[in-house]
Amino acid sequence: MVTARPEYEPPWGGRANVTHLRLGRLDPGDAERLCAHLGSEAVLPAATVRQIVARCDGIPLFVEEMTKSVIEATAATPARDGMAAVVIPMSVQDSLVAPARPVGAGAADRQPRRGHRPQIQL
């Protein structure tokens, strides 16, 4: 099994023993179920899960990685008023550059880096 972006044309693609299966993005319900399977129900508020799902654009790998990142950051951050203060990247691209982290984790939280979009604090 090989995964690739849709525009990639592998040299072995025309062989008789190769089956090309194009997978679509997850719908929001499936993405939320993936988050739940990763343990988000026990740790994250439903609103946080919805934000993760919205920002991952239905891409299973990103849903999984961002959910894990937010759960880890939440576990490492003391709760305030029943909710942990965690920064969730605004997009998949931002999540690759700056994973979710506790608010106040350093000076980088206070000053956005050049060329990066701001992140929302929960």
Side-chain angles (χ1 to χ4, degrees), residues 33-106:
R33 282 187 285 284
L34 178 57
C35 290
H37 178 74
L38 296 168
S40 67
E41 287 180 325
V43 181
L44 303 176
T48 302
V49 172
R50 284 191 300 273
Q51 286 183 17
I52 291 170
V53 168
R55 293 179 190 170
C56 290
D57 200 25
I59 302 169
L61 174 64
F62 297 138
V63 172
E64 181 178 359
E65 292 303 317
M66 193 176 292
T67 301
K68 288 178 181 178
S69 179
V70 172
I71 289 172
E72 289 172 8
T74 300
T77 306
R80 281 188 301 188
D81 300 329
M83 292 184 61
V86 175
V87 175
I88 299 176
M90 290 295 294
S91 68
V92 171
Q93 181 179 0
D94 290 344
S95 74
L96 297 172
V97 177
R101 64 192 186 284
V103 172

